[in-house]
Amino acid sequence: MSVSIPAFARAASTSALSTGKHKVVVIGGGAGGLAAANQIYNALRSSGRTLAAGDIAIVDSNAHHDYQPGWTVVGSGLADKAAFRRPLASLIPDYFAHVKAKAQSFEPATNSVTLSDGSRIAYDYLVVAPGLQINWGKIKGLERAIADPIKNSVSSIYSYETADKTWQLVEGYKPEQGEAVFTQPFGPVKCAGAPQKMLYMADSYWKSISNPVSSTFATGMPSMFAVPRYSAALNAIRESKGLGARFNHNLVEVRPEDKVAVFEVLAGDAKGDKVEIPYGLLHVVPPMGPLDAVKASPLADAAGWVDVDAASLQHNKYANVFSLGDASSLPTSKTAAAITAEAPVLAHNLVAHMDTGKVGTAAYDGYTSCPLFTGRGELLLAEFKYGAVPKETFGRFVDQSKPNRAFYHLTKDVFPRVYFSHLVKGNWFGPKGLFPPQFVPT
């Protein structure tokens, strides 16, 4: 049962910038944090509440904010990585307090967070959206290998520093260099479709220049995708392109001096065996998990994610704590598209709790989307909700299990603009576009 707190009065507040306490503290200035902060602000204003400068604070030490889905486009040689980066401060409105620090520890019993500079920030409500942690060091030899991507022929689109190096390797690759290997780890990752996107995009480029490279997708997962409808379609696409696959193969070591990748077999008769695969090019998607500060906190579930109700996004123990995005325990794919459905639910329920002491009626159904590039000029738009059930926006008009050129241009050319002009400002609601969902008042 959630620990309840008193409802707020509607009176004007003293500026949080002068008192040091905030009505709402948002941990993280990524897609989830920015969308949630802006939607909470808009909801409070719409309800007639008077807000002072700094009543809502965003805690994030990063200098930049990246549109990370764009890194696939960068790795495919179709855009410059700088096009997908903005100064974080430029995305935070002046009426928000921007606290340039990281959350070091959470003390929900005292409604406070200790920051990386040793200071503490107090809140009435807390939104936890710091993203997840990329664990490069959990693969033996990977940090050493990826420190010099060109020399070691190892790269990844999961880093701003190496996304463009991926394209350099793809563009200059020759068949005599050997097998091109593309990996996906076992477990949750940001945008679970991205690991195989680079497989298809590299293959598409090589075939366009008659470069007969042999490629393999080595994944720690048992299938191409978690949703059966799209998994079957993607496997058929892979086979039609003549691309190899090794399922239940989890990358555990990279030996750059030998150009060898070592995988552990996770299932079947060979479970536990180590398999060595020589490579000429290795595209690595590293394992990911909850941030250490979240994992060690009272907010975490057994796996280390922020323990929230799957429908309301309210913490299962602390009623004035909410979470969304990659850091949350929500059992859905961790994507920017998921944020568009999560943020309005969180904002409605948090503001309802402020006003009444009870969480609102909005319920998140797990909607998320994975736009999967399957080659230059083609994209499969996977959309689904909890239970791996498809929830398709355009399913009445087209078969979304088949690649589509229109979806390709929407994802490559339109969505990046929508992201910066609307999503992070709290004005984009996924399939509903600019029209926010309407929830029944509490």
Side-chain angles (χ1 to χ4, degrees):
M1 179 179 294
S2 294
V3 178
S4 62
I5 63 174
F8 283 97
R10 287 179 173 269
S13 64
T14 303
S15 171
L17 296 178
S18 63
T19 65
K21 183 177 180 180
H22 308 269
K23 288 192 179 301
V24 181
V25 168
V26 178
I27 304 297
L34 290 176
N38 279 292
Q39 290 189 31
I40 291 167
Y41 178 85
N42 293 339
L44 288 170
R45 291 294 300 271
S46 296
S47 70
R49 187 181 299 274
T50 301
L51 291 171
D55 272 350
I56 297 176
I58 295 177
V59 177
D60 196 310
S61 64
N62 289 304
H64 301 100
H65 177 108
D66 295 301
Y67 175 65
Q68 295 180 33
W71 292 348
T72 298
V73 182
V74 173
S76 302
L78 300 174
D80 186 278
K81 64 183 182 181
F84 301 118
R85 168 165 279 197
R86 301 286 187 276
L88 175 58
S90 72
L91 302 178
I92 298 177
D94 291 340
Y95 43 81
F96 290 165
H98 180 193
V99 181
K100 298 177 182 179
K102 295 180 180 179
Q104 182 170 294
S105 62
F106 296 87
E107 294 89 39
T110 59
N111 294 332
S112 64
V113 179
T114 299
L115 304 179
S116 52
D117 61 5
S119 66
R120 298 180 76 186
I121 187 169
Y123 59 82
D124 292 321
Y125 281 83
L126 178 68
V127 176
V128 187
L132 50 64
Q133 183 169 288
I134 297 183
N135 297 313
W136 302 95
K138 286 195 172 182
I139 297 176
K140 184 178 179 181
L142 177 58
E143 289 178 309
R144 178 166 52 92
I146 210 163
D148 194 339
I150 305 305
K151 174 186 175 182
N152 296 319
S153 300
V154 178
S155 195
S156 177
I157 58 167
Y158 275 82
S159 161
Y160 183 83
E161 288 71 26
T162 60
D164 53 342
K165 305 301 190 299
T166 301
W167 169 241
Q168 290 182 44
L169 291 174
V170 169
E171 185 182 31
Y173 200 64
K174 304 299 181 186
E176 57 268 23
Q177 292 177 253
E179 188 81 5
V181 179
F182 299 80
T183 77
Q184 176 171 349
F186 177 80
V189 298
K190 291 190 281 189
C191 189
Q196 60 187 289
K197 294 179 190 180
M198 276 312 305
L199 168 76
Y200 302 131
M201 294 300 278
D203 175 71
S204 180
Y205 172 73
W206 289 327
K207 285 176 178 172
S208 74
I209 60 171
S210 301
N211 195 359
V213 174
S214 176
S215 301
T216 295
F217 183 54
T219 172
M221 307 304 288
S223 63
M224 292 297 292
F225 202 71
V227 180
R229 167 173 164 78
Y230 303 123
S231 183
L234 289 164
N235 200 53
I237 290 169
R238 177 189 62 78
E239 291 178 339
S240 72
K241 295 177 181 291
L243 304 171
R246 291 175 181 252
F247 298 106
N248 297 306
H249 278 59
N250 198 42
L251 182 66
V252 294
E253 182 181 358
V254 179
R255 300 206 298 266
E257 62 280 357
D258 302 322
K259 294 289 196 300
V260 169
V262 183
F263 295 83
E264 180 181 358
V265 180
L266 301 182
D269 294 339
K271 181 178 180 181
D273 288 356
K274 299 292 178 63
V275 176
E276 297 186 358
I277 302 178
Y279 67 84
L281 180 155
L282 180 65
H283 179 265
V284 176
V285 177
M288 303 175 200
L291 288 160
D292 291 338
V294 173
K295 190 174 184 178
S297 78
L299 302 178
D301 64 9
W305 307 106
V306 182
D307 184 19
V308 294
D309 181 82
S312 71
L313 280 67
Q314 183 186 38
H315 196 273
N316 284 317
K317 181 177 180 182
Y318 301 101
N320 62 334
V321 176
F322 291 76
S323 182
L324 77 168
D326 296 352
S328 74
S329 63
L330 298 172
T332 193
S333 187
K334 299 178 183 296
T335 69
I339 296 298
T340 66
E342 294 168 6
V345 170
L346 184 151
H348 173 86
N349 288 339
L350 185 151
V351 172
H353 199 276
M354 276 189 174
D355 289 339
T356 69
K358 297 179 181 179
V359 72
T361 58
Y364 175 54
D365 66 359
Y367 172 81
T368 190
S369 174
C370 292
L372 289 124
F373 290 98
T374 56
R376 294 194 171 203
E378 59 182 68
L379 182 141
L380 186 156
L381 181 58
E383 294 180 289
F384 50 98
K385 60 183 180 178
Y386 288 147
V389 176
K391 186 182 179 182
E392 298 178 344
T393 304
F394 305 99
R396 293 173 294 170
F397 312 107
V398 297
D399 183 352
Q400 287 190 212
S401 69
K402 294 181 179 179
N404 182 295
R405 189 173 188 89
F407 294 155
Y408 171 86
H409 287 293
L410 278 173
T411 299
K412 173 180 168 290
D413 303 317
V414 178
F415 287 164
R417 294 182 175 89
V418 169
Y419 180 86
F420 284 115
S421 64
H422 293 291
L423 192 155
V424 296
K425 295 179 180 180
N427 298 321
W428 186 255
F429 304 96
K432 294 181 178 293
L434 296 171
F435 302 97
Q438 301 299 311
F439 303 115
V440 177
T442 302

